[in-house]
Amino acid sequence: MSYMNGSVKNYLKDLAARLPAPGGGSVAALAGSMAASLVAMAAAFTIGKKKYQKVSGRMKKIESRARQLQRRLASLCDQDIRAYRSKNLKAAIMVPAEIARLSREVAILAQEVLYEGNASLATDTVLAVMLAEASFTACLFYIQVNLRHAVASTARHQKILHDLKKCLPDFKKMRKNAEDYVGTSFGW
């Protein structure tokens, strides 16, 4: 079953049900996908505006990449569900790792759009950073939990976790900078 090809209503119904999946991992993927969608939207609203002429080329690239990330993260929502339903612990580690990695990329793109793009969409890009941070952080938790349940935790899995943990302070800094930027821009 593909939730991404179905209705949000059915996904939410199953998410709230007493089922092993969908669960938090799929929510993390969906949050990352929504963040990427917001980045694509904000970049699209920048392209073609006279005021943002200098960054229009870069915004086109960001919009394209954000759309790719949106699609990939949406597909990872379904992959995470399949991993849990099949009790595939290796996939239950690798899928959240990819979600985290892609969510980090989304947050980096969101910050670029925030600082260089259409100021009217600043709050949307801050939300993209916040959603990407939530996705990333949740995935770190799921990887750690799944490593504890894995029969054989490999050095590769431990390295993935270690590398992702090193990114956590950057996320906190990105979020604070984004919030401060919007607060200053709007006089909050």
Side-chain angles (χ1 to χ4, degrees):
M1 170 186 229
S2 171
Y3 283 99
M4 292 299 98
N5 292 327
S7 74
V8 173
K9 182 179 178 180
N10 284 338
Y11 174 77
L12 294 174
K13 178 181 71 70
D14 286 355
L15 181 62
R18 191 173 173 175
L19 299 168
S26 68
V27 171
L30 191 56
S33 183
M34 289 189 298
S37 297
L38 286 169
V39 172
M41 178 188 71
F45 274 108
T46 302
I47 298 165
K49 298 270 187 188
K50 186 176 181 180
K51 181 178 177 180
Y52 303 104
Q53 199 171 324
K54 285 184 177 180
V55 297
S56 191
R58 178 63 184 145
M59 290 299 140
K60 285 179 184 175
K61 289 178 182 174
I62 289 174
E63 179 190 16
S64 175
R65 181 61 183 148
R67 288 182 187 279
Q68 290 171 351
L69 291 165
Q70 180 271 330
R71 287 187 298 272
R72 180 63 186 142
L73 284 157
S75 74
L76 288 167
C77 178
D78 284 327
Q79 284 183 33
D80 184 78
I81 293 166
R82 283 192 297 277
Y84 276 89
R85 286 186 176 161
S86 65
K87 299 183 192 286
N88 181 342
L89 279 175
K90 180 180 176 187
I93 293 167
M94 298 309 290
V95 171
E98 185 175 359
I99 295 167
R101 184 181 60 78
L102 297 177
S103 292
R104 181 174 182 271
E105 185 178 350
V106 169
I108 290 167
L109 293 175
Q111 275 217 280
E112 189 172 347
V113 174
L114 175 64
Y115 297 137
E116 302 295 328
N118 190 327
S120 297
L121 286 104
T123 53
D124 295 298
T125 53
V126 170
L127 178 56
V129 171
M130 294 166 78
L131 287 169
E133 178 190 26
S135 174
F136 181 90
T137 305
C139 286
L140 280 182
F141 293 148
Y142 292 122
I143 292 167
Q144 290 176 89
V145 167
N146 293 334
L147 280 171
R148 286 184 180 212
H149 291 92
V151 175
S153 171
T154 67
R156 178 178 176 227
H157 294 133
Q158 293 296 334
K159 181 174 178 358
I160 289 168
L161 179 61
H162 175 75
D163 290 347
L164 290 172
K165 278 184 172 180
K166 287 192 313 190
C167 298
L168 202 51
D170 291 340
F171 254 107
K172 295 197 181 306
K173 185 177 177 182
M174 272 192 278
R175 180 178 175 164
K176 178 162 181 7
N177 289 346
E179 289 173 350
D180 289 350
Y181 182 81
V182 169
T184 301
S185 298
F186 289 99
W188 296 337

